[in-house]
Amino acid sequence: MAKQVKSAFFCKNCGAESSKWVGKCPSCGEWNTYVEEIITPKGKNEVLGIGVGKKVLTPVKISQIKSEEYPRIKLPSNELNRVLGGGLVPGSIILLGGEPGIGKSTLVLQNVLRIRSRKVLYVSGEESAQQLRMRADRIAGGKMDCECFLLCETSLENIFTCLKNDKPDLLIVDSIQTIASDLLESAAGSVSQVRECAAAFLRYAKETNTPVILIGHINKEGSIAGPKVLEHIVDAVIQFEGDRHYLYRILRGIKNRFGNTSEIGIYEMKEDGLKEVTNPSMMLLNESDEALSGSAIGVTVDGARPFLIDTQALVSTAAYGTAQRSVTGFDPRRMNMLLAVLEKRVGFKLAQKDVFLNIAGGLKVNDPALDLAVVCAILSSNFDSPIAKDVCFAGEVGLSGEIRQITRIDQRISEAQKMGFKTILVPKSNMKGVAKNDKIRILEVGRVEEAFKFIFG
């Protein structure tokens, strides 16, 4: 008797299952996210039989459980260790996501090539062994003194057969969207395949106490490709961000069960791989000695890490009837709000002028404390008057033109002082209880007009 083919509908956003197509997902509320997939009938194939051994567990009183810290596995990259919270936890499963070509495979490969004391299995479903060897030669410069083994395979059952025989200390899967199980009839990368394969690697990690790193792609909406349940079952979600046309990359923790998500790692893309940026302020500032109009240095904090960034603006008379607004690396709606504040509260007529804003270095900044630097850069370009190179800014601009309080003011002032700036403009209400710094002049401003008077007289 022929095997009956069964199909079901899955939500691409949350992974919810339905027997028929629905327009709005009842689980997550998203519209038009249900897709049809062929699945096997429920039976002996309902649970993938690829575990390493089933143990009968009994409940244990929480007070009887020994409280001990997991010995973390230190990776060669200090920036990656910082984002992970100190290193890899044994038995954890990490999801590393990013856009195609951003450098996810390069980041992982250059780390495993420098691990000497542990056996690493790198499973590649996208590249051949020869392609990986060519990349490894470029990254390591021909030095292959490591215990890294390559397996180019997309079948989940074949991967687990190799895992039972080799028993690695660290497993890398590149990428989870290319792995498929023979027990499911849907194509690789579908919702059911991604969910079941990730669940299988999760069981393997917990049963063998082996850390697993899954590499995943980003879809057009900017989220991890596959159902949201993939992000729920893993212990940590790390996102690799950046523009492929620029050199800098940011490693950001989205979720971390073994650490905080306020840390970021910064890398610079080189010909021989990714280089750690230990002092991002030095890399992102303008190296020119000449003071130029339309440039203001803002002190921003991404996660728990402060750094200085060059904010560039260009204001010119509109050549057409409608003024243009172009933004790179900053929220365009927030810039429009700041322009409205300048026109309504301060009296600058910018409605008939083109305004272009750029965050140098190709970074995307969402810190509200960059508002004051954006405003000053726009005014500097509007009057074609440069700002002194030893002045920096940190402050959020409110709708009434007031300068509002910001977080981590101590770290921002220390970073500006460390980079050699002589003056920093900060919100007036932010300095209560903050120790004074004799090495840098701290100018407290309460409104945009006060900052304007100080800069341009």
Side-chain angles (χ1 to χ4, degrees):
M1 183 176 178
K3 183 170 66 174
Q4 182 182 1
V5 177
K6 179 183 177 183
S7 64
F9 293 86
F10 294 91
C11 175
K12 294 187 294 183
N13 185 55
C14 65
E17 181 179 353
S18 174
S19 59
K20 62 180 181 179
W21 185 87
V22 291
K24 182 179 180 180
C25 176
S27 178
C28 64
E30 295 292 327
W31 287 88
N32 299 323
T33 56
Y34 271 81
V35 293
E36 185 179 10
E37 295 182 7
I38 298 175
I39 61 175
T40 55
K42 291 185 178 180
K44 19 182 185 176
N45 292 339
E46 183 177 359
V47 179
L48 297 176
I50 49 181
V52 294
K54 295 183 178 179
K55 297 180 181 180
V56 179
L57 301 177
T58 57
V60 181
K61 194 174 181 180
I62 190 171
S63 59
Q64 298 176 353
I65 300 176
K66 294 182 179 179
S67 178
E68 55 184 1
E69 285 236 10
Y70 282 103
R72 292 181 182 262
I73 301 173
K74 295 288 185 180
L75 295 174
S77 174
N78 293 327
E79 296 292 302
L80 184 55
N81 287 328
R82 178 205 299 269
V83 177
L84 290 173
L88 281 174
V89 175
S92 64
I93 179 167
I94 312 297
L95 177 61
L96 174 62
E99 296 179 355
I102 205 67
K104 304 181 298 296
S105 302
T106 301
L107 174 65
V108 174
L109 187 60
Q110 74 177 25
N111 271 274
V112 300
L113 290 177
R114 293 162 57 189
I115 297 177
R116 301 288 184 265
S117 58
R118 297 182 184 274
K119 185 178 181 180
V120 181
L121 178 61
Y122 191 105
V123 179
S124 175
E126 299 179 346
E127 297 180 276
S128 65
Q130 290 75 17
Q131 290 174 323
L132 287 170
R133 176 56 195 261
M134 290 173 59
R135 178 180 293 184
D137 287 336
R138 177 172 56 86
I139 294 174
K143 299 178 181 179
M144 298 294 174
D145 185 18
C146 62
E147 291 291 320
C148 180
F149 294 84
L150 298 180
L151 176 64
C152 299
E153 182 60 69
T154 59
S155 172
L156 186 66
E157 287 73 21
N158 294 343
I159 293 173
F160 271 85
T161 300
C162 182
L163 289 174
K164 291 178 182 178
N165 296 331
D166 293 347
K167 298 179 180 179
D169 299 319
L170 173 61
L171 173 63
I172 313 292
V173 180
D174 184 11
S175 67
I176 186 61
Q177 281 83 14
T178 61
I179 309 301
S181 171
D182 298 335
L183 301 180
L184 299 175
E185 295 187 9
S186 55
S190 61
V191 175
S192 56
Q193 286 283 9
V194 171
R195 180 173 56 187
E196 292 299 330
C197 292
F201 286 118
L202 173 67
R203 291 197 297 269
Y204 173 79
K206 302 306 178 185
E207 291 175 3
T208 62
N209 210 30
T210 303
V212 178
I213 298 179
L214 306 177
I215 298 178
H217 295 303
I218 295 291
N219 56 25
K220 293 181 180 179
E221 288 76 25
S223 58
I224 304 293
K228 279 292 182 182
V229 70
L230 179 61
E231 300 181 29
H232 297 331
I233 66 174
V234 299
D235 295 313
V237 179
I238 301 173
Q239 193 158 316
F240 209 30
E241 304 173 352
D243 193 329
R244 285 179 293 176
H245 302 289
Y246 290 89
L247 298 176
Y248 302 109
R249 306 286 189 268
I250 292 182
L251 191 65
R252 191 187 309 275
I254 307 298
K255 168 190 174 182
N256 194 350
R257 289 175 179 164
F258 306 107
N260 57 47
T261 56
S262 61
E263 292 287 356
I264 65 168
I266 302 179
Y267 293 87
E268 183 182 6
M269 180 62 77
K270 297 284 189 179
E271 292 183 359
D272 55 349
L274 292 162
K275 177 185 176 183
E276 297 181 19
V277 178
T278 56
N279 190 354
S281 299
M282 185 69 70
M283 306 292 292
L284 298 172
L285 292 180
N286 186 9
E287 297 179 357
S288 175
D289 295 331
E290 183 183 0
L292 303 174
S293 64
S295 178
I297 306 300
V299 188
T300 183
V301 172
D302 201 331
R305 196 170 187 178
F307 55 91
L308 279 73
I309 196 165
D310 190 5
T311 305
Q312 301 173 341
L314 176 62
V315 180
S316 61
T317 304
Y320 306 98
T322 304
Q324 300 183 63
R325 301 285 187 263
S326 179
V327 184
T328 303
F330 194 73
D331 187 358
R333 293 172 297 181
R334 192 163 189 87
M335 189 194 74
N336 290 332
M337 182 203 76
L338 295 175
L339 292 176
V341 170
L342 289 177
E343 183 151 350
K344 177 71 175 179
R345 303 296 182 184
V346 191
F348 294 105
K349 304 301 181 183
L350 301 173
Q352 300 301 320
K353 294 188 176 182
D354 295 335
V355 180
F356 303 93
L357 182 67
N358 176 51
I359 304 299
L363 300 182
K364 296 180 180 179
V365 182
N366 297 318
D367 187 9
L370 202 64
D371 288 354
L372 189 56
V374 170
V375 167
C376 292
I378 292 173
L379 295 178
S380 172
S381 178
N382 184 48
F383 293 104
D384 198 19
S385 178
I387 300 174
K389 294 184 66 64
D390 59 353
V391 177
C392 58
F393 307 88
E396 178 184 355
V397 178
L399 291 178
S400 299
E402 78 278 13
I403 311 298
R404 302 176 61 87
Q405 287 189 14
I406 56 176
T407 60
R408 303 182 184 272
I409 188 66
D410 289 336
Q411 296 182 21
R412 298 176 195 266
I413 295 174
S414 298
E415 182 70 15
Q417 181 265 321
K418 184 175 68 174
M419 295 304 299
F421 283 81
K422 303 299 182 183
T423 305
I424 180 172
L425 275 69
V426 298
K428 183 178 295 184
S429 56
N430 241 139
M431 298 308 297
K432 297 178 181 178
V434 178
K436 292 186 178 181
N437 192 330
D438 297 331
K439 297 181 180 180
I440 185 173
R441 180 189 178 191
I442 302 175
L443 184 63
E444 303 177 36
V445 290
R447 298 189 60 83
V448 175
E449 300 95 312
E450 299 178 22
F452 173 74
K453 290 178 182 179
F454 169 77
I455 299 171
F456 305 104

